[in-house]
Amino acid sequence: MSGRYDLGYKQLFAHPELVRELLTQFTPCTWLAALEVSAFERVNPSYVGEHKAERQDDLVWRVRCGADWVYIYILLEFQSNIDRWMALRMQVYVGLLYQDLVKRHELAPGHKLPAVLPLVFYNGATPWSAALELSQMIVPAPDGLHGLQAAQRYLLVDQQRLDPNALEAHGSLLALLFKLELSEATTVLPDVLASLSAWFADVAQEPLRRSVLLWLEDVVAREMPGVPVEQVILGHGGHMAARKYATWLDCWKDEGRQIGLELGKLEGMELGKAEGKELGKAEGKELGKAEGKAEGQRHALVKVIEARFGALPPATAQIVADIPNDDLERWIVKAASAPSLQALADGAAPSAHHAS
């Protein structure tokens, strides 16, 4: 990841609640579910190597386990591109972390180094292909040297390949956010946004609210450019599917195009047969495609409105029917961002008047 998107995830996992959900729901470390959120503590993730070059892990937490204050250091590495050398990087990070603990005299006399949980959080489109263990990147050692080679391992959370059924089974905030990012528009709007709206109404922790809202702003900025996140999330009151579209608006527009294409083919063929001429067929197909595209966009507009506000009242249905064909795409965007059905209808007068 990079830029604001990277920062958005760092802000999410700066909260122990979401770190705990990530580890207990999306890794084999389910034993952490028995620990209270208060057991998680942030640690300074900056280390300096031999040549004074600062090394920055994305996030580091430690977890108190039991009365003996046994710490487990959790390294979170955020990646949107595949790093072939990730296992080697983790080996370096763990070494620097241990070196830092020793230099700062964090270990009691006679105590051993703490256990480390290295975790890579990856959200790239291509499945992760890098080795999960450093030993897989080292040539076979001669006899007697095998046990002396580095063998650092790390856990991987490949967000784009998470099991949809597992996401449906978890009702946690993090699962909702993952579902929001991985779902198509027509599946995410009715269910996930309503659940997030309810979460915002109930949660009392203002820092966590701000971090989630900032993350949502990044997602909405990619999916629906120019639309305020408050209108999409807080003004909204499924099942997972494989992601096919770059943005939600692309999803709605493509549905309209596909419907329009089929209608256009049918109408064009009928007009062409009636004319009985090649020229008539071509003109008929073009006319049919244009009308069919408009009908497809009108159908997509209805789906957006129903997904956000429920069934269309007769008055709203009439407004949709009166919208000029060349204005339908603008209305799809408008319907996706309107704070309420009434606000959408209030802005309909000019278009409806123009249609008449």
Side-chain angles (χ1 to χ4, degrees):
M1 302 178 197
S2 62
R4 284 192 59 186
Y5 196 44
D6 189 4
L7 180 61
Y9 268 103
K10 287 182 181 180
Q11 289 173 332
L12 285 184
F13 292 115
H15 297 277
E17 299 89 345
L18 295 186
V19 172
R20 185 171 178 269
E21 289 179 5
L22 177 68
L23 295 173
T24 58
Q25 298 176 10
F26 302 102
T27 79
C29 302
T30 54
W31 58 272
L32 287 167
L35 300 179
E36 298 293 333
V37 171
S38 58
F40 290 77
E41 180 180 324
R42 283 286 299 274
V43 176
N44 180 9
S46 297
Y47 312 114
V48 178
E50 293 181 359
H51 303 291
K52 307 298 182 182
E54 185 177 274
R55 297 296 298 266
Q56 176 77 37
D57 295 322
D58 286 78
L59 287 172
V60 181
W61 288 81
R62 60 183 179 182
V63 183
R64 188 177 67 175
C65 301
D68 295 331
W69 286 90
V70 177
Y71 286 85
I72 297 178
Y73 280 77
I74 303 168
L75 282 69
L76 298 175
E77 273 293 319
F78 300 97
Q79 291 287 311
S80 55
N81 297 306
I82 299 173
D83 184 351
R84 176 192 174 196
W85 303 105
M86 179 52 69
L88 177 60
R89 286 180 58 195
M90 281 297 186
Q91 173 94 12
V92 173
Y93 287 168
V94 171
L96 288 173
L97 186 151
Y98 282 157
Q99 180 177 284
D100 186 64
L101 290 176
V102 172
K103 284 184 176 181
R104 291 190 293 108
H105 305 288
E106 289 288 326
L107 305 176
H111 280 213
K112 296 182 179 180
L113 295 167
V116 176
L117 168 57
L119 176 66
V120 172
F121 180 85
Y122 171 67
N123 76 330
T126 304
W128 185 262
S129 57
L132 300 179
E133 183 174 343
L134 185 55
S135 63
Q136 298 171 355
M137 308 181 68
I138 300 175
V139 298
D143 291 343
L145 296 183
H146 183 269
L148 303 177
Q149 305 309 302
Q152 177 67 53
R153 293 177 56 88
Y154 61 89
L155 291 179
L156 173 70
V157 175
D158 191 344
Q159 186 204 30
Q160 297 283 336
R161 261 70 48 189
L162 290 176
D163 182 7
N165 294 325
L167 284 179
E168 289 290 346
H170 295 305
S172 66
L173 172 61
L174 190 59
L176 282 175
L177 298 181
F178 285 170
K179 287 168 66 176
L180 177 69
E181 189 169 24
L182 300 178
S183 297
E184 299 291 7
T186 51
T187 58
V188 71
L189 287 177
D191 300 324
V192 180
L193 293 185
S195 298
L196 282 175
S197 181
W199 179 84
F200 272 104
D202 293 338
V203 70
Q205 301 180 51
E206 186 58 30
L208 181 56
R209 284 172 57 92
R210 284 199 304 269
S211 295
V212 172
L213 193 58
L214 287 171
W215 183 89
L216 290 170
E217 285 178 350
D218 290 340
V219 173
V220 173
R222 294 195 314 273
E223 302 287 355
M224 304 165 67
V227 178
V229 66
E230 292 85 355
Q231 293 184 11
V232 178
I233 306 298
L234 304 183
H236 197 282
H239 299 287
M240 289 292 296
R243 187 68 188 255
K244 299 187 295 182
Y245 301 95
T247 69
W248 297 336
L249 286 180
D250 287 343
C251 174
W252 290 322
K253 291 176 183 178
D254 190 57
E255 286 186 3
R257 283 193 293 267
Q258 295 300 323
I259 296 169
L261 180 61
E262 295 304 316
L263 291 173
K265 286 180 180 179
L266 293 175
E267 293 184 21
M269 289 177 64
E270 290 302 318
L271 286 171
K273 290 178 182 178
E275 291 291 336
K277 300 177 181 179
E278 291 300 320
L279 181 58
K281 287 182 180 180
E283 291 179 353
K285 288 181 179 179
E286 290 305 315
L287 288 172
K289 287 180 181 178
E291 289 298 320
K293 177 182 178 181
E295 288 306 310
Q297 288 180 326
R298 206 176 301 276
H299 177 77
L301 174 58
V302 170
K303 291 190 68 174
V304 174
I305 296 173
E306 289 181 339
R308 298 202 64 212
F309 308 115
L312 270 66
T316 307
Q318 186 59 51
I319 290 173
V320 172
D322 290 341
I323 297 172
N325 291 350
D326 58 2
D327 209 22
L328 285 166
E329 185 167 322
R330 183 180 68 85
W331 270 79
I332 292 176
V333 177
K334 183 179 178 181
S337 61
S340 67
L341 184 59
Q342 185 60 47
L344 180 65
D346 288 344
S351 294
H353 177 72
H354 175 70
S356 62

